[in-house]
Amino acid sequence: MAELKRKRTSEKDDRPSKKAAVSAPSTTIKTSLVSEQDELPPVIASTPGIAAPRLAFTPYHYLPANGPHAQTTFQYSNFLLHSSSHPRLDYTARPEPSNAHLSHYVGIYDPSSSSLKLVPAPLVTLRSTLRSETLDAPKDDQAKSFGAQREELGMEFGTKKARKAIASKTENAIAPRRAKTTNAEGTLIKKDAVAEAVLDTVADASANMPGRDELADAAFATKPIPRPNLSATSPAEVYPLSVLIPPADLRSIFVKEWQDKVAADEEITTASRFVSFRVAKVVGDGDVKKMKALRYMLLLLQWNDALRPAGRDGGKKLGKKEEMVKKMSEWNEGLIDGVRKRFADGGELNKWHVDNLMTHIAALSLYIDDWATDTTNLKDDLRLDNKQMNQYFHELGCRVQSLTDKERESLKIASKAAAAQRRIAKLKIPLDFPKVRRPAAKRRF
């Protein structure tokens, strides 16, 4: 005998097997159409693109009081609802001209009298606007353009791609919003609210941005020159001695030997023409800082002579240890190691390091010669031509000029032809740095 299986709970039908009885009206329903009424009718509202909150609306109806077109009854075309209860938005519901040929009705059924009244209900479209735009919008803008109507149709009936494109266009549009304010004299003026908002945003975003001086310092930090003081008011403040010589190295430099020789009227000879021509005068003036600067400059010149050329890009490398010790035997190892760490990268110097060394030597020559130096002796010590030597001084902000007659006489140069081969580098305020040249644009054919 086959067993009857009980249906699972999921297989049971939740709907009742019997239909509920509906009581039919006992009498015939009387239907009537209300064509004219003095009271406000019910309204059917559509909300395209917005989610309408719970708001209290105020109805408005325009009725001309006189004239050939005077109206005394309710007209759906002149009816609208308005609400300003939202803190920032205004909601307005008004009939659309495109729906003028359609009629909508609401049925009101009275079970006590079995009567059904069909009341005309205008179809309105609810839209929201920003209150500032509503106050300042001109009357000419109230009539929608053909393009705006197409966008509305696209939002209602367009494809997903079309709706996304219209929404993106709306989000990226910046419409002028005018805010009325008064100036100090009380005169009414207009300001662009969007422009003010953009300017405020830019001001907030640029509050922490570096200023012009900070950007200039950052630019000079990457150049192979001593860090200049761009706010200096005199040449001596542009490259102070603390920038040209590290304080630790400055304390390790001794000039007692030079002072003793000058006091004994002995001649001081060095491997540098620049140093040899100036040591007696600098020591005789008694300026210890200039003596140490001249001594440190001699160290840099001898260390540069001990380097070997490396590659075609103008780089150099340190020589062998025994060669370096032989050429720099008069200097202590602490000073030599300090120069290596400051101007070399390991055992090599690329083009940037070489230029950095040359500009520091040029800046020391300016310090020793009171910020106006004859470049001839230094050019010979560094084995450079006039163009290269002048370029290093230009990088420091100097003006390189020919000798004047007064300068030629002070340097005791009798021949004008010899004086024409010499140049004077002067550091003046304002500084004259080389202009950045932009590459020429490629020609298009």
Side-chain angles (χ1 to χ4, degrees):
M1 183 176 180
E3 296 181 359
L4 295 177
K5 293 184 179 180
R6 184 178 297 175
K7 289 186 178 182
R8 294 180 182 178
T9 306
S10 59
E11 295 178 358
K12 292 182 178 180
D13 194 356
D14 295 336
R15 294 179 296 178
S17 59
K18 297 182 179 180
K19 296 183 179 180
V22 180
S23 59
S26 58
T27 58
T28 304
I29 299 176
K30 298 179 181 180
T31 305
S32 61
L33 176 62
V34 180
S35 58
E36 295 184 2
Q37 59 182 6
D38 296 332
E39 298 179 356
L40 294 176
V43 174
I44 302 175
S46 63
T47 59
I50 63 172
R54 290 182 173 272
L55 299 171
F57 288 90
T58 303
Y60 293 92
H61 185 221
Y62 174 72
L63 290 175
N66 49 27
H69 302 287
Q71 297 176 1
T72 57
T73 59
F74 181 82
Q75 297 292 328
Y76 298 123
S77 60
N78 295 332
F79 171 76
L80 65 85
L81 298 174
H82 181 76
S83 175
S84 299
S85 57
H86 192 276
R88 299 187 63 180
L89 299 176
D90 285 345
Y91 288 88
T92 304
R94 57 162 52 93
E96 294 289 345
S98 58
N99 298 329
H101 62 284
L102 298 177
S103 298
H104 298 78
Y105 296 87
V106 173
I108 303 175
Y109 175 68
D110 186 5
S112 61
S113 60
S114 297
S115 61
L116 177 65
K117 291 183 179 180
L118 298 179
V119 181
L123 176 63
V124 295
T125 303
L126 181 63
R127 303 187 186 279
S128 63
T129 55
L130 190 63
R131 187 162 296 119
S132 61
E133 289 184 347
T134 305
L135 293 175
D136 298 331
K139 295 181 180 180
D140 296 340
D141 294 344
Q142 294 180 1
K144 295 183 180 179
S145 63
F146 178 73
Q149 294 179 13
R150 288 190 60 186
E151 290 182 1
E152 289 185 1
L153 289 174
M155 290 298 293
E156 289 292 336
F157 307 104
T159 62
K160 183 178 179 181
K161 184 177 180 180
R163 291 197 301 269
K164 184 178 180 181
I166 295 173
S168 177
K169 179 181 177 182
T170 306
E171 291 174 359
N172 295 327
I174 300 179
R177 301 176 182 176
R178 300 290 178 178
K180 297 181 179 180
T181 56
T182 55
N183 56 15
E185 300 177 355
T187 306
L188 188 65
I189 59 176
K190 289 186 177 180
K191 294 184 178 180
D192 195 333
V194 172
E196 287 185 348
V198 171
L199 291 176
D200 292 341
T201 305
V202 171
D204 295 338
S206 61
N208 298 325
M209 292 181 62
R212 180 179 298 177
D213 296 338
E214 295 177 356
L215 291 175
D217 290 339
F220 280 103
T222 60
K223 299 185 67 174
I225 62 173
R227 182 71 66 86
N229 179 15
L230 301 178
S231 60
T233 57
S234 65
E237 297 176 355
V238 179
Y239 300 108
L241 190 60
S242 59
V243 174
L244 302 179
I245 305 177
D249 292 347
L250 191 64
R251 290 190 296 267
S252 302
I253 297 175
F254 303 101
V255 293
K256 184 69 167 57
E257 181 183 356
W258 281 358
Q259 290 175 324
D260 293 342
K261 287 186 177 182
V262 171
D265 201 14
E266 296 182 9
E267 184 179 0
I268 301 174
T269 57
T270 67
S272 167
R273 295 172 61 87
F274 184 93
V275 176
S276 298
F277 287 152
R278 290 163 176 80
V279 60
K281 181 180 182 305
V282 171
V283 174
D285 293 341
D287 192 336
V288 178
K289 288 185 177 180
K290 280 192 177 182
M291 295 182 206
K292 291 191 173 186
L294 191 62
R295 184 78 176 166
Y296 187 78
M297 184 175 178
L298 179 61
L299 168 65
L300 296 183
L301 290 171
Q302 291 184 356
W303 188 76
N304 178 65
D305 289 339
L307 298 176
R308 289 182 172 184
R312 299 180 179 179
D313 59 346
K316 296 183 179 182
K317 64 179 180 179
L318 298 177
K320 296 182 179 180
K321 184 176 181 180
E322 54 271 16
E323 294 180 0
M324 299 290 292
V325 171
K326 182 180 179 181
K327 291 183 178 181
M328 308 191 70
S329 57
E330 62 178 297
W331 305 96
N332 62 63
E333 294 183 2
L335 281 172
I336 298 175
D337 191 58
V339 172
R340 179 185 63 80
K341 292 180 179 179
R342 189 181 183 193
F343 295 102
D345 183 10
E348 297 183 355
L349 288 79
N350 57 23
K351 181 64 166 59
W352 190 94
H353 294 98
V354 173
D355 292 342
N356 190 39
L357 175 63
M358 297 301 168
T359 53
H360 275 77
I361 294 174
L364 283 169
S365 69
L366 290 169
Y367 179 84
I368 295 166
D369 286 349
D370 295 327
W371 314 108
T373 182
D374 181 6
T375 64
T376 304
N377 298 144
L378 189 58
K379 172 180 68 69
D380 295 339
D381 289 340
L382 296 175
R383 298 177 182 88
L384 300 175
D385 55 23
N386 279 328
K387 182 178 180 181
Q388 291 176 307
M389 193 74 259
N390 295 343
Q391 182 61 33
Y392 285 129
F393 281 103
H394 277 307
E395 294 293 336
L396 295 172
C398 296
R399 296 174 175 85
V400 182
Q401 304 169 347
S402 301
L403 274 66
T404 61
D405 293 340
K406 184 177 180 180
E407 292 170 344
R408 181 170 62 84
E409 293 175 1
S410 63
L411 294 175
K412 298 179 181 179
I413 303 174
S415 173
K416 291 186 177 181
Q421 302 298 322
R422 291 174 174 258
R423 294 293 183 271
I424 294 290
K426 299 179 181 179
L427 189 68
K428 295 182 178 181
I429 302 295
L431 303 176
D432 186 17
F433 292 103
K435 302 294 186 298
V436 178
R437 295 182 179 181
R438 297 181 179 178
K442 295 183 178 180
R443 302 178 69 180
R444 296 181 179 180
F445 299 96

